[in-house]
């Protein structure tokens, strides 16, 4: 179950050595679910996500006795906000150029405080307890922040996206799972064909559950392109891989919203050029950071904690 975040929980204080500022992160999902430092917050009543985030970050600032920095990805408005929160509960937002310079310095400061692998363990624990909503939101938060810091093609970002795709599949959200898995497969196809094969398999497994004909066609064309490239490069060494590739081709040719069993002896597929494939869109872009975002600006004496 989601729980309130308190900085006194074991292992939940950031490392004081994370310089030059203690750096936290927060995430607001499209449905309003709110995460701070890898913990899903309990949102009582109609409490807005921005107030919950400010209260949680202010609690850290008071406990540590020092201003705390926070990077907030708010998917409900597709925006990034960078905050300074002070022990008295006040806060201000700043533009990106006022923050740490982008690159390794900022990434190290953020990830030394709360290592990504510890968050993966927490996501897995939620999934093992069948708390799939919590696991999915936490996985999305991790993937978004790693992508913001490191880029979509970074190894940790890809692993987080693959975990999110798996949890979406477990939840029965096959459209989301297919999109996430296809992005991982697409990046792998551009960087490491050997590692691309299992990712294309996972994307195909999710795609086979789709029922929307437009999605079946669009996603299927990209999958077929991937399978054809892997085949041309001699990467398909298992009979099951050839069977999956043929299943994708057969389903597209039939125009059926349902996957059927593949033919036992798949015929060679006609090659498609990259220009003929309508690739799935990447993550919706986030608005650039700017100063003075009112919902994250709090004056001294306003409610906090």
């Amino acid at each position: 179950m989601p729980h309130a975040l308190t900085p006194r929980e074991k292992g939940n204080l950031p490392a004081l050595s994370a310089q030059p500022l203690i750096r936290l992160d927060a995430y607001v999902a499209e449905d309003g679910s709110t995460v701070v430092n890898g913990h899903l917050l309990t949102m009582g009543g109609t409490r807005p996500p921005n107030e919950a985030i400010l209260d949680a970050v202010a609690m850290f600032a008071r406990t540590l006795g020092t201003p705390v920095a926070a990077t907030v990805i708010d998917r409900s408005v597709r925006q990034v906000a960078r905050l300074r929160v002070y022990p008295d509960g006040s806060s201000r937002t700043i533009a990106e150029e006022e923050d740490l310079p982008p690159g390794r310095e900022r990434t190290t400061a953020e990830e030394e405080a709360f290592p990504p692998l510890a968050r993966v363990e927490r996501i897995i624990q939620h999934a093992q307890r069948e708390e799939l909503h919590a696991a999915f939101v936490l996985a999305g938060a991790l993937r978004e922040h790693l992508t913001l810091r490191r880029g979509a093609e970074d190894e940790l970002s890809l692993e987080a996206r693959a975990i999110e795709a798996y949890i979406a599949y477990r939840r029965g959200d096959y459209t989301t799972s297919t999109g996430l898995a296809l992005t991982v497969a697409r990046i792998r196809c551009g960087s490491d064909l050997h590692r691309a094969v299992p990712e294309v398999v996972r994307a195909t497994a999710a795609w086979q559950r789709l029922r929307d004909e437009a999605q079946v066609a669009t996603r299927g064309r990209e999958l077929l392109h991937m399978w054809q490239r892997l085949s041309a490069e001699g990467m398909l060494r298992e009979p099951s891989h050839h069977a999956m590739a043929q299943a994708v081709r057969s389903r597209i040719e039939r125009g059926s919203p349902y996957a059927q069993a593949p033919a036992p002896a798949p015929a060679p597929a006609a090659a498609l050029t990259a220009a003929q494939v309508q690739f799935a869109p990447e993550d919706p872009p986030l608005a650039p950071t700017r100063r003075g975002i009112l919902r994250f600006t709090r004056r001294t004496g306003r409610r906090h904690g």
Side-chain angles (χ1 to χ4, degrees):
M1 295 292 291
H3 57 279
L5 177 67
T6 65
R8 301 185 187 280
E9 291 178 6
K10 183 179 179 181
N12 197 31
L13 275 174
L16 290 172
S17 60
Q19 296 296 326
L21 282 168
I22 305 301
R23 302 190 63 82
L24 285 68
D25 60 68
Y27 173 74
V28 182
E30 291 183 356
D31 67 357
S33 299
T34 304
V35 177
V36 174
N37 295 327
H39 291 267
L40 187 63
L41 298 187
T42 300
M43 306 289 288
T46 58
R47 192 180 183 205
N50 60 304
E51 289 293 330
I53 289 170
L54 287 174
D55 288 347
V57 178
M59 190 184 307
F60 278 94
R62 290 196 301 275
T63 301
L64 297 170
T66 185
V68 171
T71 301
V72 183
I73 295 176
D74 189 342
R75 268 296 169 192
S76 66
V77 293
R78 294 188 182 179
Q79 191 173 60
V80 179
R82 301 191 187 278
L83 316 180
R84 291 289 182 271
V85 183
Y86 300 89
D88 65 1
S90 62
S91 66
R92 66 186 182 95
T93 59
I94 59 175
E96 186 167 3
E97 61 268 19
E98 296 178 79
D99 199 12
L100 293 175
R104 181 171 296 277
E105 183 180 0
R106 179 189 291 161
T107 297
T108 300
E110 290 177 333
E111 293 180 9
E112 279 185 354
F114 293 92
L117 293 180
R119 301 191 185 201
V120 170
E121 292 177 359
R122 187 174 301 124
I123 292 166
I124 292 172
Q125 290 170 359
H126 280 289
Q128 289 173 337
R129 295 194 295 265
E130 296 297 320
E131 297 165 358
L132 297 180
H133 172 72
F136 181 70
V137 173
L138 294 179
L142 178 61
R143 185 258 305 168
E144 289 268 14
H145 277 285
L146 287 174
T147 299
L148 181 68
R149 298 168 191 167
R150 295 169 164 265
E153 298 185 7
D154 175 80
E155 190 63 34
L156 288 177
S157 301
L158 286 173
E159 292 296 332
R161 192 181 296 271
I163 291 170
E164 188 181 6
Y166 168 71
I167 295 171
Y169 185 92
R170 288 269 307 273
R171 297 178 75 211
D173 186 352
Y174 302 119
T175 299
T176 298
S177 180
T178 301
L180 291 164
L182 268 174
T183 299
V184 177
R186 186 186 311 128
I187 292 171
R188 292 289 191 209
C189 282
S191 61
D192 187 344
L193 287 178
H194 289 279
R195 300 185 69 181
V197 175
E199 303 301 345
V200 177
V201 168
R202 295 185 184 101
T204 302
W207 173 83
Q208 288 176 319
R209 298 294 189 108
L210 294 179
R211 296 295 179 261
D212 179 87
E213 293 189 38
Q215 287 281 327
V216 168
T218 301
R219 304 296 195 179
R221 284 195 294 271
E222 183 172 6
L223 277 171
L224 183 59
H225 176 71
M226 291 178 180
W227 281 117
Q228 290 168 339
R229 184 182 175 197
L230 292 172
S231 178
E233 297 291 336
M235 295 288 107
L236 305 187
R237 301 186 177 95
E238 300 290 335
S240 61
H241 296 159
H242 289 282
M244 291 190 84
Q246 179 62 20
V248 172
R249 182 170 185 245
S250 298
R251 188 180 184 190
I252 292 174
E253 289 177 347
R254 286 191 304 269
S256 169
Y258 298 94
Q260 302 291 331
L272 287 176
T273 66
Q276 292 175 297
V277 179
Q278 183 179 351
F279 290 111
E282 297 294 341
D283 301 330
L286 295 163
T289 299
R290 60 181 176 82
R291 63 175 65 84
I293 301 175
L294 293 180
R295 69 183 184 283
F296 288 115
T297 301
R298 176 185 280 171
R299 296 180 180 178
T300 304
R302 288 187 60 187
R303 177 185 176 273
H304 58 270

